[in-house]
Each structure stands twice: as structure tokens, then as C-alpha cells.
């Protein structure tokens, strides 16, 4: 059986096929959660909330979706927008908290420092970095999601990485 | 941290390794309560069927443009077009016969007999045995908050304000939100704001009308259904997260001290959000179950002074001229309102008819 494209799945859902949304979610929900998690400083609970809100938007807008953008781009764009709203909403209550799931990799203390440095970036730079490092995303995908040229993504990424390094180095210097 | 560690950390931070969340399913479930099922309009796939429906809709829109009326909001009772159907609706709300003349022009643009007969209002908020309140709503009920305002003229403003205060029933949770009386005699004014059970709104408005001469009145409705559904969905999600965290707390022997502290902090934040959302939900439910009735009472000024015959004649002449000008202005306004106010209907109807015609022509013969 030929695998349907994301756009076909969206159209099928709009026509009443719930299984199509399930298939679309199986492809993208984890990625959407990853992006939300990155943009929200590792706050898993808030990331879940944001992605659920994003699905609500998708469900409401599926019938109006037009194939002038890839469905995947549209999904991630909704997540990025929702995250921007959620950050404003929750800024008073949360500090960055990377690594809630206690996964392997860099030490927890470094994860927290990195999350704090990421939170210190401007929203544009943070979105660019997170999208570019999200699983399965390319810089071109990030450009499509953010609606900016690829060159701008590269330039923002370069600047953002430089600022991240500087922030982390300053902290290292301050501690030593 | 070196470059490689930063990149690794960023990848890790932007990757979801948690459980299978199936958030799409929860979102779909939340949306089910509020939207028509997708695909149910599948039978309208034939262009001719669509054209016929559009043509009918267009004709309906044009007819509404011709016959319909959009009363002004809360304007004093003056000249204007009040269709008989509207009078009848007003009469049924006020508990009087439709043959009786209306005492005022009600603003019913967002207030219809059908919408008011729905039951969810007071039943939305249930007081439990322990004194707490819980929202109970049928899945398909609209949650509508009503607010009404009226301006009365009375010879005894103080007495009118006192009478207004007696309209509430405290045993039904009704209360006086504010009551202010200023001045004395004919120049006195009062403003009384009541919160009354939505089921009794008609009854209270009818009583308000009996307290003085009604200068203006309006009723507005706000649909809070979607906001309530949104809060419900988010609340369900947070409760699920809370349950998960509590499960983790039960297995705390496996956690180190840092993990335990983090878990407690997270649990506290989740509970904070739950309380916040429950408060939002209750506030909205209160707005649905208790309508706001704002009544302004103005005193009647003392009767005009005695005048000589000549000056009375001149004043009468001036009044007649002034009345004539106002009547002319009122008529011109009514004609303009009829023509301009319905432009949207004319244009809308025309567009629908053109679309229907094009769809009809597109059908292969």
C-alpha cells in the first residue's frame, strides 16, 4: 500500500477520517513535542500542553488547509507560535529546566546551563537554534517553518551559536 | 562546554523521549464536544446540490435584507422599525400579550426566545455537600452569559432603588453587586447592579419595568462555551500530569534527594495551574448561572413653570418646529438605515447568487 503524504492525510481527516490524524500524529507528534520542549526550556508538561493546543488548531483548521505550504511546515509553525504565547504566559512561573526526563548524555548541570543560555537568546535566535537541532529537521525546514530565507537561518544560527558559546564561557570563567 | 557538547545538548533538548502522549487524541476528544463531525457534509458534493443550496441561501440572505431588522443598541424609545415578530418575542419575554403595545424597544440582536429557553444556565454550577462548587454541564449545552441594562425614570428614586434591592432571592445565590443613590428629589439618580439567576432574568426584567417608566433597555448575550471547553481540556491534561507525578512520588524510594525536590516543585506548579484553571472555570460558570442586571434610575424634574399665553404660544411653536425637524431627521435616518444598513445583505446575497450561477454553469451537460 502506498504511503499517503502529510497533505493527503490532512485532507482525509478534514473529510472525516480520524485514522488519518492518528497517522499524521504518529509521524510528527514526537517531533512537535521535541521542538516545544526545546523552545520552552525543557518544560515537558508545558510542551505537552502546547502541542495539545496545536492539535486543537490543526483539527479546527484542517478543512481550510491549503497546499501552498507543506503540512509538516504548517504543524511546526503552529507549535512555534503556540510556544511563543506559552512562554509569555508561563514566564513568571518557570525557570529553564532541561533534562526532566533524566536521559543520558551531557551532565544535568550542563544541561541546565545550556537551557539557561538558550533562554537568554532572543526569540528569533532561540527558535532558529531549536528548529535546526530538532530531530529530522534541516536548515531548509527551519526556514520554511519560520517563513524566512535560508540565508537568514544560517546567519541567525551562526550568531546564536556564538552567543551561546559566549554565555557558557562567561559562566565557566565566573565559576573558575 | 565545548562545541560538540553544546550541539549534543541542543539536540537532546529538542528531542522528545517521553512516553507515547497521544495528545492529538485528547485534542480531538475536546473538540468533539464543540464542532460538527468532519465529513458530514459529504452529501453536498454534487456541484448542482451545492448550487441549489447556495441559491437558497442567497435568496434567504436577500430576503433577510429586505425583511430583517437590526434594532439599535439600547437607544431611547423613539422612531424606528420594529417588526411584529420582534414585538411578539419581546412580549413573550415580558409575559404580556403580543397585542399589547411594547413599552420600550428591547435590544434583541443577540437575544432570542430559543436561546433563552435552554436549560444549562443555573444548572451549570452545583453546590456540593461540603460547600464547594462544581461545574456540571451537559456535553452539548451552550454556556451563555447574559447581561441586561435598563434606564428608568421615577418620581421617587430612593423608593425605586429600595424596590430594586428587594428583587433578588438570596436563597438562590442572588446578590446585590452595588447600589448607589445620589441627590434628592427630582434630581436624584441611582444605579443598582443585581446578579440574578439566569433562569429568572425575564421575571426580574419584568419586575424592573414595573418600578418606573422605562427609558431604554438592552440585553446582551456572550457565548462562553468554547472558553469553557478549552479550560476543561487543559484541566484534564494537568490532572493527568498530576496523577503521573503522584505515581512517581509513591515510588520515591527509587529517587535521590535532588529528584525528589524537583518532583515536589513540579507537583506544586502543576497544582497551582490546576487551581488557577478551576478558578477560571468557576468564574465563567458563575457568569453563566448568574446574569447581571444593571438599572439606572433618574428622577423626574419638577413640572414646568407657569407662563403667559404669548410665551406659551411661542414655546409651542418652537416645540412644534423642533418636533418636525426631529421627525424629518428620524425618517431620513430610518430610510438611510434601511438602505445602507443592509448593504452587507445585498452584497452577500448577490455574491452567493453569482457563485451559485457559476457552479450551475460548471456542471457538465
Amino acid at each position: 500500500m502506498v504511503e499517503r503524504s502529510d497533505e493527503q492525510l490532512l485532507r482525509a481527516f478534514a473529510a472525516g477520517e480520524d485514522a488519518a490524524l492518528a497517522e499524521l500524529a504518529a509521524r510528527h507528534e514526537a517531533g512537535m513535542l521535541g521542538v516545544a520542549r526545546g523552545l520552552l526550556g525543557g518544560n515537558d508538561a508545558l510542551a505537552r500542553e502546547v502541542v495539545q493546543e496545536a492539535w486543537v488548531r490543526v483539527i479546527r483548521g484542517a478543512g481550510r488547509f491549503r497546499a501552498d505550504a507543506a503540512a509538516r511546515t504548517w504543524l511546526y509553525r503552529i507549535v512555534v507560535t503556540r510556544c511563543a504565547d506559552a512562554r509569555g504566559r508561563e514566564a513568571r512561573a518557570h525557570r529553564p529546566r532541561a533534562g526532566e526526563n533524566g536521559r543520558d548524555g551531557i551532565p544535568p548541570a550542563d544541561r541546565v546551563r545550556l537551557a539557561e543560555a538558550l533562554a537568554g537568546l532572543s526569540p528569533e535566535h532561540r527558535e532558529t537554534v531549536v528548529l535546526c537541532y530538532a530531530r529530522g529537521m534541516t536548515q531548509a525546514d527551519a526556514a520554511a517553518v519560520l517563513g524566512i530565507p535560508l540565508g537568514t537561518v544560517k546567519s541567525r544560527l551562526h550568531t546564536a551559536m556564538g552567543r551561546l558559546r559566549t554565555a557558557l564561557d562567561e559562566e565557566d570563567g565566573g565559576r573558575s | 562546554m565545548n562545541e560538540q557538547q553544546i550541539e549534543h545538548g541542543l539536540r537532546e533538548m529538542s528531542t522528545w523521549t517521553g512516553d507515547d502522549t497521544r495528545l492529538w487524541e485528547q485534542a480531538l476528544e475536546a473538540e468533539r464536544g464543540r464542532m460538527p463531525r468532519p465529513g458530514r457534509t459529504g452529501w453536498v458534493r454534487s456541484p448542482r446540490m451545492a448550487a441549489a443550496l447556495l441559491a437558497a441561501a442567497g435568496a434567504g440572505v436577500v430576503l433577510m435584507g429586505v425583511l430583517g431588522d437590526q434594532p439599535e443598541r439600547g437607544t431611547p424609545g423613539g422612531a424606528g422599525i420594529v417588526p411584529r415578530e420582534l414585538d411578539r418575542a419581546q412580549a413573550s419575554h415580558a409575559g404580556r400579550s403580543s397585542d399589547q403595545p411594547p413599552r420600550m424597544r428591547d435590544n434583541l440582536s443577540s437575544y432570542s426566545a430559543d436561546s433563552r429557553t435552554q436549560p444549562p444556565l443555573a444548572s451549570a454550577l452545583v453546590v456540593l455537600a461540603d460547600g464547594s462548587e462544581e461545574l456540571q454541564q451537559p456535553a452539548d449545552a451552550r454556556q451563555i452569559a447574559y447581561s441586561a441594562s435598563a434606564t428608568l425614570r421615577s418620581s421617587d428614586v430612593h423608593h425605586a432603588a429600595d424596590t430594586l434591592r428587594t428583587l433578588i432571592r438570596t436563597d438562590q445565590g442572588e446578590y446585590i453587586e452595588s447600589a448607589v443613590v445620589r441627590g434628592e428629589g427630582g434630581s436624584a439618580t441611582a444605579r443598582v447592579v443585581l446578579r440574578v439567576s439566569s433562569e429568572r432574568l425575564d421575571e426580574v426584567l419584568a419586575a424592573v419595568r414595573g418600578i418606573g417608566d422605562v427609558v431604554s433597555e438592552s440585553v446582551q448575550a456572550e457565548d462562553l462555551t468554547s472558553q469553557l471547553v478549552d479550560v476543561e481540556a487543559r484541566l484534564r491534561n494537568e490532572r493527568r500530569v498530576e496523577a503521573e507525578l503522584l505515581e512517581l512520588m509513591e515510588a520515591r524510594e527509587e529517587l535521590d534527594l535532588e529528584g525528589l525536590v524537583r518532583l515536589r516543585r513540579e507537583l506544586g506548579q502543576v497544582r497551582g495551574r490546576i487551581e488557577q484553571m478551576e478558578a477560571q472555570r468557576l468564574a465563567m460558570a458563575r457568569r453563566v448561572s448568574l446574569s447581571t442586571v444593571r438599572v439606572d434610575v433618574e428622577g423626574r424634574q419638577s413640572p414646568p413653570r407657569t407662563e403667559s399665553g404669548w410665551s406659551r404660544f411661542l414655546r409651542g411653536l418652537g416645540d412644534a418646529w423642533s418636533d418636525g425637524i426631529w421627525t424629518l431627521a428620524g425618517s431620513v435616518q430610518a430610510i438611510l438605515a434601511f438602505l445602507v444598513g443592509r448593504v452587507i445583505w445585498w452584497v452577500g446575497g448577490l455574491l452567493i447568487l453569482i457563485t451559485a450561477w457559476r457552479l450551475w454553469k460548471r456542471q457538465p451537460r
Side-chain angles (χ1 to χ4, degrees), chain A residues 73-84:
Chain A
T73 304
W74 183 53
L75 294 180
Y76 281 93
R77 195 176 289 166
I78 294 173
V79 171
V80 171
T81 314
R82 296 285 90 211
C83 283

Side-chain angles (χ1 to χ4, degrees), chain A residues 79-101:
Chain A
V79 171
V80 171
T81 314
R82 296 285 90 211
C83 283
D85 290 350
R87 278 188 72 86
R89 220 164 50 211
E90 302 285 321
R92 65 196 178 281
H94 295 283
R95 281 181 68 232
R97 62 179 91 177
E100 284 180 354
N101 285 345

Side-chain angles (χ1 to χ4, degrees), chain B residues 276-297:
Chain B
Q276 216 173 20
M277 280 185 255
E278 279 178 340
Q280 275 176 19
R281 194 178 62 151
L282 276 175
M284 280 192 274
R286 280 200 191 98
R287 283 184 60 202
V288 170
S289 56
L290 290 178
S291 298
T292 306
V293 180
R294 181 177 291 108
V295 186
D296 288 308
V297 189

Side-chain angles (χ1 to χ4, degrees), chain B residues 150-169:
Chain B
T151 303
L152 306 179
R153 192 161 287 146
S154 168
S155 52
D156 188 344
V157 172
H158 288 266
H159 178 68
D162 289 342
T163 314
L164 282 168
R165 288 194 191 102
T166 63
L167 296 180
I168 57 154
R169 286 190 190 159

Side-chain angles (χ1 to χ4, degrees), chain B residues 214-235:
Chain B
V214 180
V215 179
S216 68
E217 180 185 324
S218 67
V219 179
Q220 286 169 336
E222 187 185 353
D223 191 347
L224 299 178
T225 314
S226 60
Q227 290 177 47
L228 270 164
V229 168
D230 282 348
V231 170
E232 286 287 334
R234 289 173 55 201
L235 202 50

Side-chain angles (χ1 to χ4, degrees), chain B residues 25-154:
Chain B
E25 214 166 41
Q26 293 166 29
L28 192 58
E29 189 188 318
E31 276 300 284
R32 279 277 154 75
R34 45 174 292 170
M35 72 172 191
R37 188 69 190 81
R40 283 204 182 152
T41 51
W43 60 277
V44 200
R45 279 182 186 153
S46 144
R48 286 212 165 173
M49 175 68 83
L53 280 175
L54 275 173
V61 166
V62 170
L63 270 176
M64 282 175 79
V66 173
L67 300 174
D69 179 52
Q70 294 186 323
E72 295 158 35
R73 283 179 170 267
T75 49
I81 304 161
V82 182
R84 191 163 180 76
E85 289 72 16
L86 194 56
D87 281 353
R88 225 173 267 136
Q90 291 174 353
S92 70
H93 284 292
R96 59 183 156 76
S97 155
S98 60
D99 296 330
Q100 286 179 280
R103 293 186 60 185
M104 74 212 76
R105 294 181 61 207
D106 291 349
N107 175 3
L108 295 178
S109 58
S110 54
Y111 176 77
S112 69
D114 288 340
S115 68
R116 291 299 323 286
T117 51
Q118 289 189 0
L121 306 170
S123 60
L125 200 61
V126 175
V127 180
L128 301 177
D130 61 358
S132 61
E133 291 170 311
E134 186 178 82
L135 180 70
Q136 291 186 354
Q137 57 184 86
D140 56 346
R142 308 300 300 171
Q143 302 297 316
I144 297 175
Y146 291 99
S147 60
S149 60
T151 303
L152 306 179
R153 192 161 287 146
S154 168

